[in-house]
């Protein structure tokens, strides 16, 4: 899983910098399941991965993710990260989370991401 972890982080950095989801789609197995924390966004397979990562990236203007810690096992890895940048509205943000990936050195079979959603709460009526 060490090589897959490196490939995953490289692919995520491509999404951040270039909005290019194709390297991540290529890592994804045909039956992979991708789930965000809120469970309202759950997809499957390569087509689902394309949608999942495009939807993720479209929330942001500028985006940079720094991986801060990882625990890598035989068929899964937990990756802690911090992301900074701007939302599409231009509002700056910083948030932290963990992404759990499953699979082998060739293909991802699962991606689950858990994050601090407070960074996305929009101000209402001039107050937070």
């Amino acid at each position: 899983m060490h090589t897959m972890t490196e490939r995953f982080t490289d692919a995520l950095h491509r999404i951040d910098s270039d909005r290019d989801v194709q390297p991540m789609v290529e890592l994804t197995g045909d039956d992979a399941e991708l789930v965000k924390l809120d469970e309202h966004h759950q997809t499957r397979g390569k087509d689902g991965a394309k949608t999942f990562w495009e939807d993720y990236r479209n929330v942001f203007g500028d985006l940079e993710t720094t991986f801060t810690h990882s625990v890598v096992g035989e068929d899964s890895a937990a990756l802690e990260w911090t992301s900074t940048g701007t939302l599409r509205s231009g509002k700056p943000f910083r948030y932290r989370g963990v992404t759990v990936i499953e699979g082998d050195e060739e293909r991802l079979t699962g991606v689950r991401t858990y994050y601090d959603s407070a960074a996305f709460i929009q101000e209402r009526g001039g107050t937070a």
Side-chain angles (χ1 to χ4, degrees):
M1 212 41 204
H2 289 280
T3 301
M4 176 54 75
T5 300
E6 290 176 12
R7 292 170 64 200
F8 179 87
T9 59
D10 289 346
L12 189 71
H13 287 140
R14 285 278 300 276
I15 293 171
D16 286 0
S17 63
D18 304 334
R19 296 183 180 268
D20 182 5
V21 301
Q22 195 56 40
M24 190 68 81
V25 171
E26 290 170 5
L27 293 180
T28 305
D30 293 334
D31 295 327
E33 181 179 40
L34 298 91
V35 181
K36 284 187 186 172
L37 170 74
D38 62 10
E39 297 181 12
H40 296 298
H41 196 127
Q42 183 171 347
T43 63
R44 284 192 151 312
K46 290 186 180 296
D47 289 340
K50 185 176 188 304
T51 300
F52 183 90
W53 292 110
E54 285 175 347
D55 287 353
Y56 159 76
R57 186 59 181 94
N58 287 335
V59 170
F60 306 103
D62 295 325
L63 178 61
E64 182 177 353
T65 302
T66 302
F67 290 93
T68 57
H69 187 72
S70 63
V71 177
V72 180
E74 189 173 320
D75 58 3
S76 64
L79 309 169
E80 294 180 33
W81 46 263
T82 300
S83 289
T84 58
T86 58
L87 299 175
R88 283 179 41 198
S89 67
K91 177 184 176 185
F93 76 91
R94 179 181 186 276
Y95 78 123
R96 296 172 31 182
V98 174
T99 300
V100 177
I101 60 174
E102 297 173 321
D104 57 29
E105 297 297 1
E106 297 300 316
R107 293 283 174 258
L108 293 170
T109 58
V111 175
R112 293 183 311 279
T113 189
Y114 307 93
Y115 53 91
D116 177 8
S117 60
F120 303 103
I121 296 173
Q122 295 296 317
E123 293 182 13
R124 294 189 180 136
T127 61

